[in-house]
Amino acid sequence: MPALYFTENEYQARLAATKVEMQTSGLDTLILSDPANIFYLTGFDAWAFYAPLFLVVAANEDQPIWIGRFMDAVSARDTTYMREENIRAYPDSFVQSTTSHPVQPVSEILKERRLDKGVIGVEMGAYYYTARIHAEFVNSLPNARFEDAELLVNRVRLVKSSAEQTYMRQAGRIVDAAMSAAVEKCAPGVRECDVVAEIYKAQISGLPDAGGVYTTSPPHFCADERVRTPHGLWTDRPLKRDAPLNIEIAGSRLHYHCPMTRTVFLGRPPDSYRRLAAAVVEGLNTTMGSIRPGMAAEEVELVWRGSIAKHGFEKEARLGYSIGLGFPPTWGERTVSLRPGDKTVLQPGMAFHCMSGLWLDDTGIAITQSFLVTEEGNEPLTQFERELVSIS
């Protein structure tokens, strides 16, 4: 029997919701290439997205059709609920070939199933849907009209089921443990890479009752002068005394992510840095205290903006974004952002990373919070103290 992470009924509900959105968008067929969306609708879980990988959802088919490299079809049988006839593969001769492309046999499968006509939605901006793939589809399926359906399934994913929320809470406990391991290892003279090694160990070990899996992104580890950069990586240099360090990581439970960022100061922070930290923490706590269902995403950002403005600060980048299921290269869902102009209404079951940080010309600080929207307000997904971490 396949090792499903959710019940087959839940997968069927996701498929039904996707078909409703397809109908609203006037799509007869949907071709997915985002591994997160393929996982969401089928449970398929293998590192198979290095080669063209597709899931075809048709309005008149009761199951999707998985199409990938022949050797990865084994994983489709092991991790999905789909019938054998809906697990299709292309030969190895099409993999990284200079004379042919996997879309060619994929198109033949679509013709065989009479899905080569009508309006076909594709994920034009997805990381794994390349210009070459699109050109091949257009050339191979001349009787179809292609429409952009990049975020159709991503939007279906916005409200998490009870089972998904359970995985996200477990991811929150994993990232709590990983951040604790990082802080415990941090000290002047310790190499940055050795701290990151402890993070990786904690992320993958997970919890006694729930192991972790790889996260979509490596740890962002920005020490000393690199604290001004939000997405820098570690080096093998030793940590310096009297310098700040930003650590952004996530816990991942069955690909459901809970991110967190904390700033660590190795030594006694100067008063100016303490004031900066106090402004960020006050802004975060004020914002978290205001979040409730029915708010617009832009209203959440406005609370934060007003709080830090009292201290003379302004953040140009968005305050946060929706999170949940993620595959490389991002744990963000690429849908809702906490920023001006985003009028998405918060609903119970949505999840976000409140990315409350400030990157200034000469320094930076980030103390963040991931949360679920609940019927009453919000539920923090991590318990790590929302404060500047000082290591003397």
Side-chain angles (χ1 to χ4, degrees):
M1 291 292 292
L4 301 181
Y5 299 154
F6 300 93
T7 66
E8 189 168 340
N9 285 341
E10 181 156 339
Y11 287 116
Q12 292 295 343
R14 296 173 180 182
L15 181 62
T18 298
K19 288 185 175 183
V20 168
E21 293 301 315
M22 289 173 60
Q23 184 177 22
T24 300
S25 300
L27 302 178
D28 301 300
T29 304
L30 177 64
I31 300 176
L32 301 172
S33 57
D34 185 331
N37 290 335
I38 295 172
F39 175 95
Y40 181 75
L41 291 180
T42 68
F44 178 74
D45 191 9
W47 194 277
F49 42 89
Y50 64 91
L53 174 68
F54 304 103
L55 189 75
V56 179
V57 180
N60 58 353
E61 298 266 358
D62 67 339
Q63 283 192 357
I65 306 166
W66 179 96
I67 310 175
R69 188 181 183 187
F70 85 100
M71 64 174 54
D72 292 315
V74 178
S75 295
R77 297 184 186 98
D78 286 350
T79 63
T80 78
Y81 63 90
M82 291 186 295
R83 296 187 299 270
E84 181 65 27
E85 62 264 29
N86 281 8
I87 297 173
R88 304 294 298 271
Y90 54 81
D92 205 56
S93 58
F94 287 90
V95 176
Q96 298 175 3
S97 169
T98 58
T99 58
S100 57
H101 193 276
V103 164
Q104 295 161 7
V106 170
S107 296
E108 292 304 313
I109 293 171
L110 292 174
K111 292 174 184 177
E112 171 194 318
R113 302 293 279 262
R114 300 189 178 185
L115 301 175
D116 60 319
K117 301 178 179 64
V119 183
I120 299 178
V122 293
E123 298 177 298
M124 290 292 287
Y127 298 111
Y128 298 92
Y129 191 77
T130 66
R132 172 72 184 276
I133 286 174
H134 188 68
E136 291 284 350
F137 270 127
V138 171
N139 182 62
S140 299
L141 302 176
N143 297 322
R145 177 162 61 88
F146 289 88
E147 295 285 348
D148 185 16
E150 177 187 351
L151 297 177
L152 188 149
V153 178
N154 300 59
R155 292 193 179 96
V156 172
R157 287 163 40 193
L158 267 172
V159 176
K160 277 66 183 174
S161 69
S162 176
E164 289 178 294
Q165 291 180 40
T166 294
Y167 290 151
M168 295 198 69
R169 293 185 183 100
Q170 291 171 335
R173 289 165 57 203
I174 291 172
V175 76
D176 274 337
M179 189 63 76
S180 294
V183 170
E184 184 176 342
K185 185 68 175 179
C186 282
V190 174
R191 294 188 307 170
E192 296 176 16
C193 55
D194 291 328
V195 179
V196 173
E198 296 300 319
I199 292 171
Y200 270 116
K201 179 181 178 180
Q203 285 176 322
I204 303 306
S205 295
L207 312 168
D209 59 335
V213 299
Y214 65 90
T215 59
T216 63
S217 310
H220 302 315
F221 196 93
C222 307
D224 197 17
E225 70 277 359
R226 288 181 292 112
V227 78
R228 299 176 291 104
T229 65
H231 301 127
L233 300 176
W234 65 91
T235 72
D236 60 358
R237 295 196 293 267
L239 294 171
K240 294 181 181 179
R241 185 178 299 278
D242 296 327
L245 160 66
N246 282 343
I247 304 173
E248 181 177 5
I249 55 177
S252 179
R253 171 64 174 158
L254 302 177
H255 305 292
Y256 283 83
H257 283 66
C258 180
M260 180 206 302
T261 309
R262 287 294 181 273
T263 298
V264 179
F265 201 97
L266 301 174
R268 179 176 175 80
D271 289 343
S272 59
Y273 202 82
R274 288 181 180 275
R275 288 193 295 271
L276 178 62
V280 170
V281 170
E282 179 184 318
L284 174 58
N285 289 337
T286 301
T287 302
M288 291 301 300
S290 73
I291 295 170
R292 63 188 185 281
M295 288 182 77
E298 64 178 0
E299 291 180 273
V300 177
E301 193 274 345
L302 187 61
V303 175
W304 156 262
R305 181 180 295 269
S307 180
I308 62 171
K310 294 187 300 183
H311 299 273
F313 296 111
E314 179 181 357
K315 183 183 183 190
E316 181 180 356
R318 62 182 178 174
L319 173 62
Y321 46 85
S322 59
I323 56 172
L325 172 61
F327 278 71
T330 180
W331 55 59
E333 289 184 318
R334 302 192 299 123
T335 48
V336 183
S337 291
L338 305 178
R339 63 182 169 199
D342 194 324
K343 301 185 184 300
T344 304
V345 176
L346 272 56
Q347 301 176 48
M350 290 182 176
F352 295 89
H353 183 202
C354 186
M355 191 63 201
S356 38
L358 294 172
W359 288 271
L360 309 177
D361 290 340
D362 58 350
T363 192
I365 186 169
I367 301 168
T368 74
Q369 182 66 63
S370 290
F371 64 91
L372 282 167
V373 180
T374 65
E375 296 286 351
E376 296 77 25
N378 68 86
E379 172 191 344
L381 287 169
T382 61
Q383 303 304 314
F384 202 94
E385 285 286 342
R386 297 200 290 250
E387 63 182 13
L388 174 66
V389 180
S390 297
I391 297 177
S392 56

